[in-house]
Amino acid sequence: MTSMFRAICFVILLVTYVSHAGAQDLKLGFVDTARVLKEAPQAERARHKLETEFAPRDEKIVVMQKQLKALDEKQTRDVAVMSDSARRDLERDIIALRRDIKRAREEFTEDFNLRRNDELTKLQKIIFETTVNVAKEQGYDLIFSDSVIYTSKRVDITDIVLERLRLAGGITAPQQDSK
């Protein structure tokens, strides 16, 4: 089902709902989930947690790359004066180290992506629950997110959701300049 088809179906359903609602006012809201994922204190904690967890492995790969560079430089510099057996041993060491680096990078990337997805799933659940709570408390009938072309400030409740997440995270909102 294409996005355009879904959007058209949604508009038809919305029009049908509004026409059946009669004189009742429909209260709509919008949450910019990309912004919430970027600015929520829980997102920052998740990023920091991942950085802390994966920093030692990243540093190990960096050390291995430096070792490989040193071996490559030694091979370039000393190839003319090395015995055949020493040259073959060095070539084997370089090949083995390249293989180890490649394997370490692949494992690092795979493990990091799995952990990042775990953290993202937890964060999305918190954002969803917070948004639903705000919607219920403030009497919203429908909350949109993602794939919305335009929203006015009147229906954008992103700041409210972020404030709730900050309060839940024990962080106060940044001071806004008065204009």
Side-chain angles (χ1 to χ4, degrees):
M1 195 184 285
T2 68
S3 311
M4 182 60 88
F5 180 73
R6 279 186 272 179
I8 291 170
C9 289
F10 177 76
V11 170
I12 291 170
L13 288 172
L14 184 61
V15 169
T16 304
Y17 176 79
V18 171
S19 67
H20 288 313
Q24 294 178 343
D25 288 334
L26 183 64
K27 190 170 181 182
L28 303 177
F30 168 77
V31 174
D32 183 347
T33 52
R35 181 173 158 220
V36 174
L37 284 168
K38 180 181 174 189
E39 296 179 19
Q42 293 84 346
E44 181 58 35
R45 274 199 299 278
R47 281 188 289 274
H48 180 70
K49 183 178 179 181
L50 287 172
E51 287 172 7
T52 303
E53 183 178 332
F54 284 90
R57 288 174 64 183
D58 187 44
E59 290 171 13
K60 180 181 176 186
I61 292 171
V62 169
V63 167
M64 292 169 70
Q65 289 170 329
K66 287 179 182 178
Q67 291 171 342
L68 179 61
K69 183 178 177 186
L71 290 176
D72 280 337
E73 288 171 356
K74 178 180 180 178
Q75 183 183 36
T76 302
R77 182 184 62 239
D78 298 342
V79 71
V81 294
M82 295 176 103
S83 67
D84 285 344
S85 65
R87 185 179 43 75
R88 279 193 303 272
D89 289 344
L90 182 58
E91 287 173 357
R92 269 189 246 129
D93 290 345
I94 290 172
I95 291 169
L97 189 52
R98 279 193 178 121
R99 187 177 334 117
D100 291 345
I101 291 171
K102 181 180 179 194
R103 186 179 314 118
R105 276 189 197 142
E106 289 170 354
E107 288 174 2
F108 176 90
T109 301
E110 184 177 318
D111 292 347
F112 181 81
N113 288 337
L114 287 171
R115 285 288 295 119
R116 185 186 61 207
N117 290 341
D118 288 344
E119 292 297 322
L120 182 60
T121 299
K122 291 175 192 174
L123 183 58
Q124 287 172 330
K125 182 179 179 191
I126 292 168
I127 292 169
F128 174 81
E129 290 170 354
T130 302
T131 303
V132 169
N133 288 338
V134 167
K136 287 179 180 179
E137 290 169 11
Q138 297 191 8
Y140 283 89
D141 297 303
L142 189 60
I143 302 292
F144 295 93
S145 78
D146 303 329
S147 299
V148 172
I149 296 172
Y150 171 79
T151 61
S152 70
K153 281 291 185 190
R154 192 168 49 96
V155 297
D156 190 344
I157 64 168
T158 304
D159 289 333
I160 298 168
V161 172
L162 278 168
E163 181 60 27
R164 291 284 176 91
L165 289 167
R166 287 181 185 110
L167 290 172
I171 298 173
T172 58
Q175 296 298 318
Q176 303 263 336
D177 292 336
S178 57
K179 294 181 183 176

